[in-house]
Amino acid sequence: MTSLQHLSADVFGLSPVARKALAAGRAFGPIPVATRITDVPRPDEFLGVDERNVLIDHIDRGLEGAGIGLPPAARDGLEALREEGTACVVTGQQPGFLSSPLYSLYKALQACRAAKELSEAWGAPVVPVFWNHADDHDVAEVHHAWQLNRNLDLQKVALAGLSSGRTPLGDLPIDAGAQRLDAVRAQLRGIVEEHAAADDALDLFLPRDGETLVRAMTRAFTELCGVHGLIVCEPQWIRPMLSSELGRIVSSPAGEATLADALRRGEDDLRALGLEPAIPVGDEEAETHAALVYRIDRPEGGGLPERIAVRAGGEGFRVDGEPGSCTPAELGSLVVGATDDWSAGALVRPLVQDAVFPTCAYVGGLGELGYHAQLGPARDAVGQPRTPFLPRVSITLVDADTRYALGRVDSDVETVLRAMGRFGAEDDDALADPPVVDALRAVGVDAAEKMLEHRAELAELEPALAVTLKKTADHVQQSIGKVIDKALRVHKNRAGKGARQVRRVNGTLVPRDQPQERVLGPFQFVARYGAAFVDALWSEMPAVSTEHLVLHLEDGDEAEGR
């Protein structure tokens, strides 16, 4: 069983672009932002049957070569893409170790939900496609995953022997010996071994010898989401089509302006709204000078390939580290002449995706919205529609242990989320005496002093009474002292347990002072709940949501630390 809680979209704060775009919705000038599924119009057909068949045949061969079979729902969707009128909901993310972070899975399932609802509304197939960003090369960003261990500490589990470089992730195979996969498996198992589905989760998410992180994610997401129709696509499978479209786009086919000029117009449109572009094209003197295209250099005699950035400059484009420049037409000719050796940068990738797939909507995070909003004039220049943007669903997962901890610290999810990892930090010393203790000490001292003020008067009546009064005053202080001692013991016990529960809610809900979905991955949740975890997500996943959702997971386990 699950239950859903709705919080404001700004629980973690919103960028100016996101705030304005969500408020305007489909009327947002740079790009229509869908805040309801009915905001997505059925697209015009632009791919012919022949183009569709080539696309599907390439994906089929890629799946066959990868040894990945599609569940019936995904197979039916792939075949439906051969027919004119079948559209796609596209999403994507760079692959991470153990398919981290969580929001990658959220994107995949949301694309499935949106495709299902659009298909029902239009009476025609709509297919969810997950673009596995195999061309990205930031290995240091994705070669590890964070796990919450039994001590409630975040533990970084990483693949050994991988470091930052320029090699595309799709060209970087995992070696069982060099990356110490057996040791990594043992480390992960030690974290989740108490859960029934631990071994199944390890088999599903852990890369296999010879696999890339890309392939491991394709395999895992196909198994987890293929039943809902998801097709995971690796760009290498369709490289000839991608490079053909990339060459056309960088050649400035409209003849009126270069791609860089169109992108700069998009930046100007944003600035006219008082907003700053996320990835400015810049110029050769700018500190931020976006890579629009990458050339993939393959060393003679073997070795790992490297991506070299191509940026706007000179006659049109400049290659990093090389003198001179080339015109847009020259770059376009180079790209189509060596289709395996080029890929699009982040700004250009959406243009290439939508030229190859019949996209009706794109599911992306609010960070992605920042640069998708720059692409309006560029889309116009290359003859593409301004594809509606579906904001990615944002979710925080709350299990039984965390709910128990929230009760112990007398707080709620929203308060902890808004504190961004600083919940409870205002208590500099959790074991400091509570105010009531100081008040009782003062009462004891004051009562003894007031009693002893009458000591002389009693001595006049009977000297022995003065002695008795002194003993009584001491007894009052001692009795109050015993109450204080008991209060301190209770306070220290509670403070110690409270500190543990504060660690739990911070470490689980806002690990590393960031939203949970950006740090934790699906591995631990699948290990704990098995397939029921994805079922729970699917049952509550909306096609569109501009709120932050809190999904309460239910199980029968005894909550830890009670």
Side-chain angles (χ1 to χ4, degrees), residues 285-520:
E285 288 74 36
E287 291 183 6
T288 53
H289 195 194
L292 302 181
V293 179
Y294 285 95
R295 188 182 72 203
I296 304 172
D297 286 358
R298 305 181 189 280
E300 292 184 11
L304 294 174
E306 292 190 347
R307 293 175 96 200
I308 308 298
V310 181
R311 310 175 195 272
E315 296 180 273
F317 295 94
R318 290 187 185 277
V319 180
D320 278 4
E322 296 183 5
S325 62
C326 61
T327 67
E330 288 171 336
L331 179 60
S333 178
L334 290 171
V335 172
V336 297
T339 56
D340 287 340
D341 296 341
W342 302 88
S343 63
L347 267 178
V348 182
R349 183 190 296 138
L351 304 178
V352 176
Q353 285 175 341
D354 289 357
V356 172
F357 285 96
T359 309
C360 65
Y362 180 82
V363 175
L366 295 181
E368 291 174 90
L369 173 60
Y371 68 83
H372 276 253
Q374 298 173 222
L375 300 181
R379 288 182 177 277
D380 299 341
V382 299
Q384 285 185 3
R386 300 194 178 193
T387 301
F389 189 94
L390 284 175
R392 171 181 61 78
V393 172
S394 181
I395 301 175
T396 295
L397 303 172
V398 182
D399 61 12
D401 298 333
T402 305
R403 281 192 297 277
Y404 174 78
L406 286 166
R408 290 297 303 271
V409 299
D410 193 24
S411 191
D412 56 72
V413 175
E414 183 172 4
T415 299
V416 175
L417 296 185
R418 290 191 179 276
M420 289 299 290
R422 298 289 297 166
F423 175 75
E426 67 276 6
D427 299 328
D428 295 329
D429 183 359
L431 299 183
D433 293 350
V436 67
V437 168
D438 290 334
L440 286 174
R441 285 196 185 104
V443 167
V445 171
D446 185 61
E449 289 177 351
K450 288 187 179 317
M451 291 176 69
L452 293 177
E453 286 175 2
H454 302 286
R455 188 176 182 184
E457 299 172 54
L458 280 175
E460 290 179 2
L461 294 174
E462 171 58 52
L465 290 177
V467 176
T468 301
L469 183 64
K470 175 64 169 65
K471 291 180 179 179
T472 303
D474 290 343
H475 180 70
V476 169
Q477 279 193 291
Q478 291 169 4
S479 297
I480 292 177
K482 290 179 180 178
V483 174
I484 290 172
D485 289 343
K486 290 181 179 179
L488 286 174
R489 284 197 297 272
V490 171
H491 171 63
K492 288 178 180 179
N493 288 337
R494 288 186 174 177
K497 291 179 181 177
R500 176 178 173 81
Q501 305 307 340
V502 167
R503 288 178 64 209
R504 181 183 292 280
V505 297
N506 280 326
T508 303
L509 302 181
V510 276
R512 307 190 75 225
D513 304 342
Q514 297 182 58
Q516 179 196 79
E517 60 195 9
R518 292 185 172 275
V519 178
L520 302 184

Side-chain angles (χ1 to χ4, degrees), residues 26 58 103 108 128 135-136 146 195 224 256 268 293 303 329 341 384-386 408 424 445 467 476 493 515:
R26 62 182 179 181
H58 275 82
Y103 67 68
D135 292 336
D136 284 3
W146 292 96
H195 302 309
L224 292 173
E256 299 178 358
D268 291 340
V293 179
D341 296 341
Q384 285 185 3
R386 300 194 178 193
R408 290 297 303 271
V445 171
V467 176
V476 169
N493 288 337

